Amino acid sequence: MPVLPPWLTEPLWGQFAALLPERSPYAVTHPLGCHRPRISDRIVFDKMLQLLRFGCSYQAIADTTCSATTIRNRRDEWIQLGFFAQLKQIALESYDRIVGLALDQIAVDGSITKAPGGGEVAGRSPVDRGKQGMKRSGMTDGDGIPLGRVLAGANRHVSPLLASTLDRLGDLGPLPDDITVHLDAGYDSDKTRALLDARGLHGRIAHKGEKAPIQASQRWHVERTHAWQNAFHRLARCYERRAGVIDAFFGLADSIITVRRLIRRAWTTHRWDERPNRRP
């Protein structure tokens, strides 16, 4: 059974393949001019999708087609070239061009997940008996499309991460003149309001001590996106130790979420050869 349906995998791979440079099927540094053929990039890409979805180890996903060492080496090579970040940016631009990003309504919130292996962005989790955990401060548009995130230890409070999270708006090009940022009661402070005022943003912040359903504002979009991201087991229980590798897996997950939402929104308005038979 495939990790993702073909109508989702193929456009992702097609765009990712366009980013890859042309290379010889053999290592050019071999003294005899011949060598064992280079493992196909498509095989490694499919292995990365399996790692992201199932959260298993590299040794468990390796087989006769590709070793664990090859997966790690190719992963690091793609991270160094910035391919995962470029794929996410292309997915966002495509969604904005076809559907349109709802940038006038922004939602920001944090989410704590497990990080049993520790690492650069791990800390003692206050909700998991002090075990190692990771916190992400995520930002979405008004429809729940992930726009960016900041990774930190689980022992960090979300409000100090707001400024660096909002800095991700600078990567989105022209922004609306009037932007409302939806926040929960954890951001209810004069410091947060001063930060938003300094950036020319309007804040809709839940008040501490006052019960309000999440449906009362647009915060539920970011909560739903956190649930989508946690469906990828490598993000919900992260054993990676380097922040760059974790961010690459988040970039791949965000690309999948964005393309999936794009296909769902465009299914009733557009026609293409690989269009699914039913609305995804």
Side-chain angles (χ1 to χ4, degrees):
M1 181 177 179
V3 179
L4 298 173
W7 53 262
L8 183 54
T9 306
E10 293 307 319
L12 284 169
W13 165 246
Q15 186 57 67
F16 193 83
L19 299 174
L20 300 174
E22 294 185 5
R23 290 179 178 171
S24 170
Y26 300 95
V28 297
T29 57
H30 195 272
L32 300 179
C34 60
H35 196 262
R36 183 176 60 186
R38 175 183 171 89
I39 302 297
S40 170
D41 289 324
R42 177 60 190 269
I43 293 177
V44 181
F45 183 78
D46 288 340
K47 295 294 185 184
M48 290 290 292
L49 293 179
Q50 296 174 33
L51 288 168
L52 176 65
R53 179 64 181 87
F54 301 132
C56 54
S57 66
Y58 292 90
Q59 288 77 10
I61 209 67
D63 53 23
T64 56
T65 64
C66 186
S67 67
T69 301
T70 299
I71 300 174
R72 292 193 189 95
N73 291 342
R74 201 73 58 87
R75 174 206 67 189
D76 293 340
E77 177 184 338
W78 291 344
I79 291 175
Q80 185 177 5
L81 294 173
F83 288 160
F84 294 106
Q86 293 179 46
L87 180 65
K88 177 196 169 186
Q89 188 64 28
I90 292 172
L92 278 177
E93 292 174 355
S94 300
Y95 185 94
D96 191 25
R97 183 173 62 254
I98 298 174
V99 179
L101 291 170
L103 296 179
D104 58 331
Q105 303 291 329
I106 301 296
V108 180
D109 198 10
S111 176
I112 296 179
T113 54
K114 295 178 179 294
E120 298 175 353
V121 289
R124 290 174 57 87
S125 176
V127 297
D128 194 18
R129 296 169 291 172
K131 296 180 180 179
Q132 291 293 298
M134 179 178 64
K135 176 172 289 184
R136 65 177 182 268
S137 174
M139 177 175 58
T140 67
D141 78 333
D143 192 44
I145 301 301
L147 302 178
R149 85 208 62 82
V150 173
L151 303 177
N155 55 336
R156 294 282 304 277
H157 197 274
V158 290
S159 57
L161 303 176
L162 179 61
S164 53
T165 304
L166 293 175
D167 288 342
R168 301 296 188 272
L169 290 174
D171 302 330
L172 301 177
L175 298 173
D177 295 332
D178 189 12
I179 299 177
T180 301
V181 182
H182 298 268
L183 304 167
D184 65 12
Y187 299 88
D188 186 16
S189 67
D190 293 337
K191 185 176 180 180
T192 298
R193 293 182 177 86
L195 172 65
L196 296 176
D197 291 341
R199 294 171 178 255
L201 304 174
H202 302 286
R204 186 173 182 184
I205 308 173
H207 297 289
K208 295 180 180 178
E210 296 182 9
K211 293 183 178 180
I214 192 173
Q215 296 85 354
S217 69
Q218 298 295 322
R219 287 188 296 109
W220 68 273
H221 290 292
V222 69
E223 300 287 354
R224 183 183 60 178
T225 301
H226 282 318
W228 286 342
Q229 292 171 334
N230 289 339
F232 298 100
H233 290 203
R234 196 160 207 85
L235 306 181
R237 189 178 182 89
C238 184
Y239 285 91
E240 302 288 353
R241 298 182 59 85
R242 288 189 290 156
V245 175
I246 300 172
D247 203 53
F249 276 111
F250 266 107
L252 183 57
D254 289 350
S255 301
I256 294 172
I257 292 172
T258 304
V259 173
R260 184 172 58 197
R261 292 293 296 173
L262 172 59
I263 294 175
R264 179 175 176 82
R265 294 288 298 273
W267 191 84
T268 56
T269 58
H270 294 72
R271 296 292 184 270
W272 62 96
D273 294 338
E274 296 80 11
R275 180 175 177 268
N277 293 330
R278 60 185 180 86
R279 189 177 183 182

